[in-house]
Amino acid sequence: MNTDDRRAISREYFSRERLAEHHFRSFNAFLGRGMQEVVDEKATIETDIGDKEGEEPVYVELGDIRVVTPRVREADGSEELLYPQEARLRNITYAAPVFMEMAIIKGGFEEEERVVDQTETKIGRMPVMVGSDKCNISGFSHEELIDIGEDPADPGGYFIVNGSERVLMTSEDLAPNKILAETDTKYGDQIEVAKTFSQRRGYRALVLCERNREGLLEVSFPSVSGSINFVTLVRALGLESDEEIVHRVSDDPEIVKFMLENLEAAEVQTTEGAIEALGKRVAAGQGKNYQLKRANYVIDRYLLPHLHEDGVDEEEVRINKAYYLCRMAEACFELALGRRDADDKDHYANKRLKVSGDLMKDLFRTALNKLARDVKYQLERANMRNRQLSVSTVVRSDVLTERLEHPIATGNWVGGRSGVSQLVDRTDYMGVLSHLRRLRSPLSRSQPHFEARDLHATQWGRICPSETPEGPNCGLVKNFAQAMELSQHVEDEQTLKQELAAMGVEGIPGVESIEQPADD
Amino acid sequence: MSSTTTPTTNCPECDGQLRDAERETVCTECGLVVAEDAIDRGPEWRSFDDDETNPARTGAPLTRSRHDRGLSTEIGRSSRVKGRKRRRLARMRRQHSRAQISSKADRNQVYGFTEIRRIVSALDLPTAIRDRSCVLFESAQSADLLRGRSLEGFAAATVYATCRADSLARTTDEIVAVAKATENELSAAYDALNRELGLPTGPIDPREYLARFASSLSLPSAVERTAREYAQLAHDRNIVSGRNPGGVAAACLYAAATDHDHDLTQRAAADEAGVTPVTLRTTYYDLKDD
């Protein structure tokens, strides 16, 4: 292929999609779907108003959320569309007002539930990415961009907060909801550990299943100090008999042998006994009732939260958790017997990227929670002072705005990460493009981390092998390859499950399998 | 003459005490500058390293919109503490934030300031207005005007007064729409403020309303410009005094809109200003009378 042909192909390839397309796709998905999902998760804001005698309970129902394009309101009150160049020059934030439908509902005890007030109110301002769907210059032609003061070659993909352009750095994480097995040393011995980062709606829990020195399996998960015996936990989740447990782990004779050892050393034999033992563990020294309640709460809330789904009921979820734990145990044993290699944490199949939309979603979730807490407080106060409850007097828009703008402005994100948002590197055009296509690893810069910094074979075609900084960040800060495309994760599994069920897969939890009509 | 060492003696002229300030050594009695060094020996540039924190540069700026002027501290959160220590810190945090508010006056101030913040952010007013409203609230509180009147009314009235004093007038309707106060509470509070504290507010110029009304009625800027000329005309002919300034503004806009053949009904303009179409019509005829 000669140079001219290659140039033609290159030009055609790069004229299709914008160079920072992953930013746009992620943020547009956040604006279109992500925000509404977060609001639907929250659904209502409860108050303590109905708890006293003679008062009806009051709660707020959250409805549809809507974002318009960025505008600026001057001191004299007039409102105009805001364009990025004006935001840069005037040192204001390129943000758009966010409207949400809220309904205050009173009643439930003596009276019927009735809607006290229902309106769509402005709840704050959301910073908008330059060039995204809700940006005022999206879809502008070359000449229109020049007229409005923008550089037509500017790739966009950054936010403008207080006049400074900020990029949200894409960060690299271990894939959630996957079983990763590795060996570890504890007290000098080698033990096998199976880990899973179970993630659901912003809450990320590390669940460990390890095989200790005596060969017994132990499970550890958040809110429970230390580890719990595997057999006890699996019994508490509903898997009682020895045969079932062994069958669910594996049918391989050697593994069966290990499992029988575990079962012999088991402390409990029934589900009720297991839950009692768990209760004594998580709520030591409290009454029996409270122990049982707390044990159930901990199992449902903190153990493998990703297995909870909307269409599935609670008992099935528990059994699924038991099956999942058995699979983790199987991974441990296979690793011990050498049938399975330890999972490579640097293999790109085990990694996921968090792009700007995902980061904004986490931020929006905490901001909405803070707003909800404030609304609850305002409602209780208004009720105490015997005032008319109305949506417009109960919402404080600066709470949400500040919670969204401040992390982008400073780089300190929820979850304690810092350096997430950076000033766009405007040294030259190539600098801008490189900055937008950068990838950051959360590992600490001061540790050696030899394997993480190495070039891995799976980076072929995805990550540039040569573009990485020298010095302490070497290998931890990476850049996208030229032809790299990022796939998107859609959290709604219902459509996928229904498709699979339609194709004939049986036994999917939450979906009734379609009866195949008889051929005659 | 410049000297880099400070003399330990007394003033050469009057034999008084010497005070050693940053760059000068001055006599406290006769004011003679005994020694000075114009060279600033501090660092040439500031370094903004993330890791290094200079304890002299801490905290948020002072602000009048908080009851403690931004001087209070919070117990921070860290994900590194666990278990019992974390619960202990949570209890301390709760007690610490409760201790910040020491008296009923402080509590009222916090409530008033929160309400002012809410109104200001709902109306998208600049932060200067927020701070000045809070200062006005504080003055009202120390002048004991709050007795017998509602806090919400005062919060709304201070915002109204500050807007008016800055020639950024907002109508009482606009403020009451977002405030917890009712119209009566607002007027009662505003009358008290005006009477006792003597606010620097005069009659409202209709021109202050033109930009806002024009923008929300989506009128082109040419119409707004003509309306401004009409408003000037109204001043010259003395039509303004005694009338609702919102009504005068609406009439100017309506006159300008008809001049430019722009579609605007009397009802729409009157609703925007919160007046009846009759008021608008009278002012309009006065304007057109020539």
Side-chain angles (χ1 to χ4, degrees):
Chain A
M1 229 198 283
N2 63 17
T3 344
D4 287 329
D5 286 342
R6 261 184 261 160
R7 189 168 291 170
I9 291 185
S10 219
R11 202 161 273 163
E12 181 61 29
Y13 181 83
F14 287 117
S15 70
R16 301 257 159 162
E17 284 194 338
R18 298 174 280 188
L19 282 159
E21 190 65 33
H22 61 284
H23 280 290
F24 294 123
R25 224 181 275 168
S26 175
F27 193 68
N28 288 333
F30 166 66
L31 288 179
R33 273 198 323 256
M35 277 176 79
Q36 189 63 57
E37 277 171 16
V38 174
V39 170
D40 290 340
E41 274 170 31
K42 183 88 192 157
T44 61
I45 300 176
E46 301 286 339
T47 65
D48 294 336
I49 294 184
D51 292 349
K52 262 190 9 209
E53 284 298 317
E55 278 180 345
E56 296 291 321
V58 171
Y59 68 94
V60 181
E61 214 174 70
L62 304 176
D64 290 336
I65 197 163
R66 176 171 76 94
V67 183
V68 291
T69 61
R71 23 213 80 183
V72 65
R73 194 178 273 279
E74 309 291 348
D76 61 11
S78 55
E79 197 178 64
E80 283 177 5
L81 287 182
L82 180 62
Y83 290 98
Q85 191 64 353
E86 191 177 344
R88 282 189 268 251
L89 290 171
R90 284 178 66 177
N91 277 0
I92 51 183
T93 307
Y94 189 62
V98 179
F99 297 96
M100 185 163 77
E101 270 176 25
M102 292 170 72
I104 302 182
I105 299 181
K106 188 171 179 156
F109 270 165
E110 308 271 312
E111 306 170 0
E112 275 271 323
E113 279 195 358
R114 59 188 177 86
V115 176
V116 172
D117 186 24
Q118 179 171 20
T119 33
E120 191 190 44
T121 172
K122 172 175 163 195
I123 57 170
R125 317 180 100 236
M126 160 79 68
V128 167
M129 181 186 278
V130 175
S132 63
D133 282 347
K134 292 281 180 197
C135 174
N136 283 323
I137 60 171
S138 80
F140 270 32
S141 72
H142 197 97
E143 288 73 29
E144 285 172 322
L145 282 173
I146 298 179
D147 281 334
I148 210 74
E150 281 293 310
D151 179 357
D154 183 67
Y158 47 84
F159 296 85
I160 301 179
V161 173
N162 291 332
S164 46
E165 301 168 321
R166 299 209 151 243
V167 186
L168 294 183
M169 281 283 114
T170 318
S171 66
E172 202 182 66
D173 267 338
L174 277 180
N177 309 342
K178 247 185 172 209
I179 302 179
L180 302 164
E182 57 179 15
T183 57
D184 202 6
T185 40
K186 210 179 198 184
Y187 310 126
D189 290 342
Q190 273 232 332
I191 52 173
E192 294 80 32
V193 185
K195 284 191 199 172
T196 286
F197 288 94
S198 174
Q199 179 169 321
R200 180 160 198 256
R201 291 184 181 167
Y203 176 65
R204 200 177 155 103
L206 170 60
V207 177
L208 269 176
C209 175
E210 60 185 354
R211 189 168 161 261
N212 63 12
R213 312 164 83 185
E214 291 102 41
L216 294 176
L217 289 170
E218 293 186 325
V219 178
S220 102
F221 55 96
S223 93
V224 136
S225 57
S227 339
I228 302 207
N229 188 294
F230 174 82
V231 180
T232 314
L233 191 55
V234 157
R235 288 214 158 115
L237 288 167
L239 217 51
E240 261 194 322
S241 67
D242 289 1
E243 301 87 40
E244 260 190 280
I245 298 182
V246 169
H247 175 63
R248 281 292 164 182
V249 171
S250 173
D251 288 327
D252 188 306
E254 302 210 24
I255 300 186
V256 167
K257 205 172 63 176
F258 284 139
M259 275 314 295
L260 289 175
E261 281 173 24
N262 264 288
L263 286 165
E264 269 181 43
E267 295 152 1
V268 291
Q269 298 297 330
T270 60
T271 310
E272 295 82 30
I275 298 205
E276 274 178 35
L278 188 62
K280 281 201 198 81
R281 195 55 200 286
V282 295
Q286 316 263 9
K288 183 111 174 278
N289 259 338
Y290 181 73
Q291 277 181 355
L292 294 179
K293 214 174 72 165
R294 178 86 186 150
N296 280 312
Y297 179 74
V298 158
I299 289 185
D300 286 330
R301 193 74 194 287
Y302 294 115
L303 176 66
L304 297 173
H306 76 278
L307 289 172
H308 284 275
E309 279 164 53
D310 291 329
V312 191
D313 38 75
E314 287 300 307
E315 296 100 42
E316 243 196 291
V317 168
R318 288 208 178 179
I319 298 279
N320 290 341
K321 288 189 182 178
Y323 295 160
Y324 198 91
L325 283 175
C326 292
R327 276 175 53 206
M328 288 176 79
E330 184 187 1
C332 268
F333 288 133
E334 285 183 339
L335 184 61
L337 291 171
R339 292 169 209 274
R340 181 192 178 138
D341 285 326
D343 283 297
D344 186 355
K345 283 209 278 246
D346 303 313
H347 195 290
Y348 257 73
N350 296 334
K351 290 214 178 219
R352 297 289 180 269
L353 298 187
K354 277 188 132 126
V355 196
S356 26
D358 309 312
L359 296 167
M360 289 303 288
K361 193 169 177 184
D362 290 337
L363 202 56
F364 185 66
R365 196 179 283 121
T366 27
L368 193 67
N369 284 332
K370 180 128 201 255
L371 179 71
R373 224 176 309 146
D374 193 73
V375 164
K376 173 177 180 287
Y377 178 72
Q378 295 282 340
L379 272 176
E380 287 166 0
R381 266 313 201 95
N383 193 52
M384 200 165 67
R385 294 174 78 89
N386 290 324
R387 297 218 156 236
Q388 190 56 268
L389 299 175
S390 103
V391 171
S392 56
T393 60
V394 124
V395 168
R396 267 215 292 157
S397 53
D398 52 339
V399 170
L400 195 87
T401 310
E402 200 180 311
R403 273 300 174 112
L404 291 172
E405 283 183 12
H406 184 260
I408 301 183
T410 57
N412 298 334
W413 222 251
V414 293
R417 280 177 289 172
S418 69
V420 174
S421 102
Q422 295 178 354
L423 220 43
V424 175
D425 180 15
R426 286 279 188 190
T427 314
D428 52 20
Y429 186 50
M430 207 163 63
V432 180
L433 294 178
S434 173
H435 199 189
L436 290 168
R437 292 168 71 92
R438 198 157 292 172
L439 195 49
R440 247 180 133 226
S441 159
L443 295 172
S444 139
R445 307 297 184 238
S446 45
Q447 306 277 318
H449 291 303
F450 296 124
E451 290 108 20
R453 295 177 192 258
D454 270 339
L455 182 64
H456 197 274
T458 51
Q459 292 180 10
W460 174 274
R462 301 182 175 96
I463 308 263
C464 181
S466 58
E467 188 179 358
T468 182
E470 302 170 325
N473 289 344
C474 185
L476 296 176
V477 172
K478 308 189 249 285
N479 283 281
F480 287 169
Q482 202 179 49
M484 152 129 164
E485 279 175 28
L486 205 51
S487 61
Q488 265 196 321
H489 172 63
V490 181
E491 274 175 31
D492 173 27
E493 293 195 347
Q494 281 299 96
T495 351
L496 174 66
K497 285 189 180 176
Q498 269 154 17
E499 271 304 309
L500 288 172
M503 285 194 251
V505 177
E506 294 173 17
I508 303 178
V511 175
E512 289 112 38
S513 47
I514 296 178
E515 290 284 319
Q516 291 285 8
D519 278 342
D520 55 334
Chain B
M1 49 182 176
S2 64
S3 155
T4 49
T5 53
T6 49
T8 49
T9 52
N10 288 346
C11 170
E13 281 187 13
C14 71
D15 211 28
Q17 279 280 17
L18 294 177
R19 184 182 62 216
D20 193 1
E22 283 179 3
R23 284 189 212 127
E24 302 175 327
T25 317
V26 184
C27 168
T28 48
E29 313 226 342
C30 68
L32 176 72
V33 176
V34 177
E36 68 175 353
D37 178 8
I39 303 175
D40 178 8
R41 284 159 204 290
E44 270 188 43
W45 59 81
R46 274 173 72 177
S47 75
F48 291 105
D49 284 335
D50 288 342
D51 303 330
E52 198 188 314
T53 37
N54 183 356
R57 296 186 184 283
T58 54
L62 286 182
T63 168
R64 295 305 291 261
S65 62
R66 294 180 56 116
H67 77 286
D68 51 13
R69 307 226 185 158
L71 287 170
S72 64
T73 56
E74 276 178 13
I75 298 181
R77 295 158 196 274
S78 163
S79 51
R80 280 169 43 188
V81 296
K82 302 272 180 208
R84 193 182 295 161
K85 195 124 197 211
R86 175 177 265 195
R87 286 192 284 267
R88 193 159 161 239
L89 274 181
R91 288 195 300 269
M92 287 204 292
R93 198 177 292 126
R94 204 181 321 140
Q95 289 306 317
H96 183 74
S97 57
R98 281 187 191 163
Q100 299 297 337
I101 305 175
S102 47
S103 65
K104 197 66 157 68
D106 274 348
R107 188 173 293 282
N108 289 341
Q109 211 173 62
V110 171
Y111 184 70
F113 284 4
T114 316
E115 179 62 13
I116 291 178
R117 265 176 188 255
R118 207 180 53 75
I119 299 175
V120 163
S121 76
L123 293 172
D124 277 322
L125 293 167
T127 32
I129 302 250
R130 187 186 75 198
D131 294 341
R132 302 235 317 269
S133 298
C134 290
V135 172
L136 196 54
F137 190 91
E138 228 179 304
S139 323
Q141 205 177 21
S142 52
D144 206 21
L145 300 175
L146 300 185
R147 200 179 288 275
R149 302 185 186 94
S150 69
L151 292 171
E152 295 89 353
F154 261 95
T158 50
V159 175
Y160 177 73
T162 316
C163 285
R164 218 167 127 164
D166 268 355
S167 313
L168 294 176
R170 297 287 189 271
T171 57
T172 28
D173 293 331
E174 282 174 311
I175 296 192
V176 167
V178 287
K180 288 194 180 124
T182 61
E183 188 144 3
N184 291 337
E185 289 173 342
L186 201 164
S187 343
Y190 182 68
D191 287 338
L193 279 176
N194 222 351
R195 214 176 30 236
E196 305 289 332
L197 296 180
L199 300 169
T201 55
I204 303 177
D205 187 346
R207 274 175 288 206
E208 294 171 21
Y209 292 133
L210 279 176
R212 208 156 61 249
F213 293 167
S215 153
S216 68
L217 292 168
S218 313
L219 299 172
S221 44
V223 173
E224 197 191 318
R225 249 175 284 139
T226 323
R228 236 168 250 283
E229 290 168 19
Y230 271 114
Q232 181 61 46
L233 195 66
H235 267 286
D236 296 337
R237 296 226 204 114
N238 218 356
I239 311 178
V240 181
S241 52
R243 285 185 215 262
N244 185 335
V248 177
C252 295
L253 282 172
Y254 178 70
T258 43
D259 279 357
H260 285 258
D261 283 327
H262 189 92
D263 201 7
L264 176 68
T265 62
Q266 285 186 357
R267 161 118 290 189
D271 281 342
E272 185 61 39
V275 296
T276 57
V278 184
T279 320
L280 196 153
R281 227 170 289 144
T282 22
T283 321
Y284 174 64
Y285 288 144
D286 280 340
L287 273 174
K288 283 297 195 179
D289 253 347
D290 212 354

